Amino acid sequence: MTSRSPRPGSGVTRRALLAGLTAGATGTSGCVTRLRTLANRQQPDPISLSVKCLPVDEDPYSIAIARQVAEWFGTAGIDTTVQPMTAEELYRQTLVNHEFDVFVGQYPSHTVRPDALYPLLHSRFSVEPGWQNPFGYTNLTVDDLLTEQRRTSGERRAEAVSEIQRHLVRECPFVVVGFPDVIRAASNERFTGWRSMAGLSPLHLLSLDRRDLSATTLRATTPDMRPTTNLNPLVASFRRSGSVTELIYDSLARRYRGDLHPWAAAEFEWTAENPPVVRATLREDQTWHDGEPLTADDVEFTYALLADTSLGSFDEPVPPLRFRGRASLVESATALDDRTVEIEFGECTPEVATRALTVPLLAEHVWEDRAARADVSGLNLGSATTEALVASAVPPVGSGPLEFESAAGRESLTLSRFEDHFLERPDQTQLPGPIAGGVPFEEFELRFVGSDASAVDLVANGEADFTSVGVGPDLVRTIGKQQHLTLAVDQTDSFYFLGFNARRTPLSNPRFRHLLSRLLDRKTVAESVFNDYVTPAVSPLAGTDWLPSDLAWDEDHPVTSFLGSGGSVNKLRAREAFRDAGYRYDERHRLLRV
């Protein structure tokens, strides 16, 4: 009679089956085969991960990092696939719907400061869409430290910020890869001053000098179509650096070369410090681009909308996808008269509170209708979302130095100088000289092209003045050979990272994420992906005074050292590390779930 394996749930134990098979068919090859088959059926499944990223035409660095990481993970026995997708789809799956294992991204902030870690890591944001804690990371100790750094100053705050970073590099909800240099090509034939554009904010375009007085239009190229089709400042899409919305929408204060300056507000008066209260006085006679007056009521409305884009009309608040961390600092904003608004903050220091002064101002008469319900296929934001989160905002109505002129689908966007902006008034003070003289051109034209190489070609041929976003390092020689071009290389605060979905097993295990971090060789990524136009790092605060000395980069990660050498993972070391963590391998050397 042929021996058959027990049916699942039959109550026959593995030990009893083994005893029976041993007694009845000892030494037969069929018995051994059936034992192995049974064991394979009962052992855990192999671990498989997908790495989501942008395609090469939208971000050449992102997919190159993803492919290299997939190779390293595969060497360690983890079946890893790379899934490139459009920015819009990547945004939906990762930042909104949280449908991912691992994704490669670039943090969008131009200035990473300690309190920026609050929305990025605090557990209160783990269920919200957007850039606030897309990793689903939860740690009560880190929550307490994030709150403490908001409330303290001096050495106490510095130590809290240091401890947050130490938790980050040990538990790895995301892994910092490095801070890339931004490489741009600029022509000197019509405009000059490109080398002074330290940083990435479009605000630096205001410091250019017009060499050719007949050049009334500043022409830019971009291989990224999103700035030409979506001008909603609240949308947290994967835009590459240099978003023109910063020139369309003003804020109460703006940062220029690292310093905070009054902007739409002429002055600030701190009337209390614990908790902070500030009175902001708007500059006189400001208007929106449609001619409506900009008043303190608009400022009050802005902070109400950033707290809840439904303005209380839904059962639960619907937070915005961007600026959530900054807006969470504000308890209330109250218009005292047409030009004065009083802003009360929660438990934080005035130093931290100033972050909330840099959010874009939104016109009440435009955005109040966008608090209505919106239903969009593919966006899973819970029970409902609002028009404010899905509208393209084209044409936009801001109050910035540039206003919307026209758009030709995804092909081009034209902005014109807003002649009623306060920068056009000669009596303006409190602003740095390079940007105090107004806009040095009549129009700004952004033209979409198919690739980085095409963008550089247009500048070299005199059809454009500069590439608005960074291009790949493979084009450095091409730019350098052209005598009439400037090779502008700027350091950025916008780091690349590998993000893990801590809501899913085995990524919910910080020890597993820690081991994945040890499969990443930043030095090799710097050389093979960025051609060394990047600064490897382990913390978002690398390069600042907030980085503790024990987390400084020194050829290798100080905490999660690479499990290999020369850019190759050592299979034996990797398997030993995972076994020490309680994981096992099957006979095909595939890592198994615990």
Side-chain angles (χ1 to χ4, degrees):
M1 179 180 295
T2 303
S3 182
R4 293 188 293 181
S5 300
R7 299 186 307 276
S10 64
V12 180
T13 67
R14 187 176 180 181
R15 179 176 298 176
L17 179 66
L18 178 61
L21 287 172
T22 303
T26 301
T28 65
S29 60
C31 172
V32 174
T33 299
R34 285 191 291 271
L35 277 172
R36 288 176 177 170
T37 300
L38 178 62
N40 288 336
R41 287 178 180 174
Q42 294 189 344
Q43 71 182 9
D45 294 329
I47 295 175
S48 62
L49 298 174
S50 68
V51 182
K52 297 183 177 180
C53 62
L54 293 173
V56 65
D57 57 338
E58 296 195 36
D59 185 349
Y61 297 135
S62 177
I63 192 168
I65 294 171
R67 287 170 175 167
Q68 180 63 80
V69 165
E71 179 184 331
W72 284 328
F73 286 5
T75 303
I78 303 171
D79 181 25
T80 309
T81 58
V82 175
Q83 291 184 275
M85 57 189 65
T86 65
E88 183 67 19
E89 189 60 27
L90 184 63
Y91 148 66
R92 290 184 181 183
Q93 292 192 25
T94 58
L95 301 185
V96 178
N97 296 337
H98 300 152
E99 296 173 350
F100 69 96
D101 295 325
V102 185
F103 78 98
V104 179
Q106 186 177 15
Y107 190 66
S109 175
H110 297 314
T111 304
V112 178
R113 296 180 177 275
D115 194 56
L117 299 179
Y118 186 91
L120 196 58
L121 296 172
H122 200 288
S123 63
R124 67 176 287 195
F125 301 113
S126 63
V127 297
E128 293 187 7
W131 276 108
Q132 46 271 7
N133 199 351
F135 321 105
Y137 175 65
T138 57
N139 185 309
L140 294 180
T141 299
V142 173
D143 285 352
D144 291 341
L145 290 168
L146 289 166
T147 301
E148 183 178 356
Q149 65 82 30
R150 281 191 161 190
R151 297 175 176 176
T152 58
S153 58
E155 292 185 5
R156 285 188 60 189
R157 188 184 186 206
E159 184 55 36
V161 173
S162 294
E163 283 302 306
I164 293 169
Q165 294 174 81
R166 293 185 181 108
H167 277 278
L168 172 63
V169 300
R170 287 196 303 266
E171 300 177 18
C172 305
F174 65 93
V175 175
V176 175
V177 176
F179 294 77
D181 294 332
V182 178
I183 304 165
R184 286 177 289 195
S187 171
N188 297 308
E189 294 183 340
R190 291 159 33 99
F191 293 88
T192 60
W194 303 107
R195 292 193 183 278
S196 66
M197 292 177 61
L200 299 174
S201 171
L203 197 64
H204 292 82
L205 296 179
L206 304 182
S207 66
L208 293 176
D209 296 316
R210 193 192 310 188
R211 181 177 183 178
D212 180 356
L213 296 182
S214 65
T216 58
T217 301
L218 180 65
R219 306 163 303 173
T221 62
T222 177
D224 183 0
M225 73 179 69
R226 283 155 288 168
T228 65
T229 57
N230 191 317
L231 295 172
N232 185 342
L234 302 186
V235 173
S237 62
F238 281 75
R239 288 193 184 108
R240 292 170 71 174
S241 57
S243 173
V244 296
T245 57
E246 295 182 37
L247 292 173
I248 298 174
Y249 295 91
D250 275 341
S251 55
L252 292 176
R254 296 292 293 268
R255 290 197 178 276
Y256 178 72
R257 297 186 183 276
D259 296 324
L260 191 69
H261 300 276
W263 194 252
E267 60 182 1
F268 298 99
E269 178 188 2
W270 294 92
T271 59
E273 292 190 3
N274 190 22
V277 178
V278 67
R279 286 189 179 180
T281 303
L282 298 176
R283 298 181 189 271
E284 295 182 355
D285 301 324
Q286 293 187 90
T287 65
W288 298 100
H289 294 157
D290 61 1
E292 292 293 320
L294 190 163
T295 69
D297 287 332
D298 292 304
V299 180
E300 178 180 331
F301 170 82
T302 293
Y303 287 105
L305 188 71
L306 293 180
D308 175 15
T309 60
S310 76
L311 297 176
S313 62
F314 293 0
D315 292 337
E316 297 290 337
V318 182
L321 304 179
R322 295 184 66 194
F323 309 111
R324 183 76 168 97
R326 288 180 244 180
S328 68
L329 292 162
V330 175
E331 291 291 325
S332 66
T334 305
L336 303 181
D337 56 44
D338 283 349
R339 290 183 55 211
T340 310
V341 60
E342 184 173 83
I343 304 173
E344 299 183 12
F345 299 88
E347 292 293 329
C348 66
T349 63
E351 177 186 5
V352 172
T354 57
R355 292 190 68 238
L357 304 178
T358 61
V359 300
L361 297 178
L362 305 172
E364 182 175 9
H365 66 282
V366 173
W367 287 83
E368 60 182 345
D369 290 340
R370 294 175 181 167
R373 184 182 301 271
D375 295 310
V376 179
S377 176
L379 287 179
N380 175 20
L381 297 179
S383 59
T385 186
T386 62
E387 285 291 338
L389 298 183
V390 299
S392 64
V394 177
V397 178
S399 62
L402 295 182
E403 62 177 324
F404 179 82
E405 181 71 26
S406 63
R410 72 175 194 174
E411 301 302 323
S412 66
L413 169 71
T414 302
L415 307 176
S416 60
R417 186 172 66 180
F418 182 40
E419 295 182 357
D420 290 335
H421 194 267
F422 63 82
L423 285 178
E424 303 301 323
R425 306 171 194 169
D427 59 343
Q428 291 304 315
T429 59
Q430 296 180 299
L431 292 175
I435 61 174
V439 181
F441 43 84
E442 297 298 323
E443 290 186 336
F444 173 77
E445 180 186 78
L446 185 64
R447 179 177 172 184
F448 170 73
V449 294
S451 66
D452 287 354
S454 298
V456 172
D457 285 343
L458 288 180
V459 178
N461 295 335
E463 299 178 59
D465 297 305
F466 74 109
T467 56
S468 67
V469 298
V471 299
D474 56 309
L475 293 170
V476 168
R477 291 178 62 112
T478 301
I479 301 170
K481 289 180 180 179
Q482 304 287 335
Q483 292 185 354
H484 66 290
L485 298 186
T486 290
L487 175 63
V489 180
D490 297 320
Q491 291 186 332
T492 173
D493 296 322
S494 185
F495 57 90
Y496 274 91
F497 66 87
L498 199 65
F500 303 123
N501 192 346
R503 306 171 187 86
R504 296 182 174 182
T505 57
L507 295 163
S508 55
N509 185 339
R511 194 167 185 183
F512 181 77
R513 300 195 303 266
H514 181 96
L515 289 173
L516 291 183
S517 177
R518 298 194 63 187
L519 297 175
L520 175 64
D521 184 7
R522 290 164 179 78
K523 185 176 180 180
T524 295
V525 170
E527 296 172 351
S528 64
V529 175
F530 294 95
N531 286 6
D532 285 328
Y533 283 93
V534 67
T535 302
V538 303
S539 166
L541 300 181
T544 72
D545 294 337
W546 297 99
L547 184 75
S549 59
D550 55 295
L551 295 185
W553 172 262
D554 186 16
E555 298 300 315
D556 199 357
H557 197 298
V559 178
T560 57
S561 58
F562 182 52
L563 288 169
S565 62
S568 298
V569 170
N570 185 308
K571 292 182 181 181
L572 296 180
R573 286 186 61 194
R575 292 171 188 171
E576 180 181 4
F578 278 100
R579 288 191 179 101
D580 288 344
Y583 292 88
R584 295 186 296 114
Y585 286 85
D586 63 13
E587 72 281 357
R588 295 170 58 186
H589 306 296
R590 297 179 301 179
L591 188 65
L592 302 176
R593 295 180 180 273
V594 175

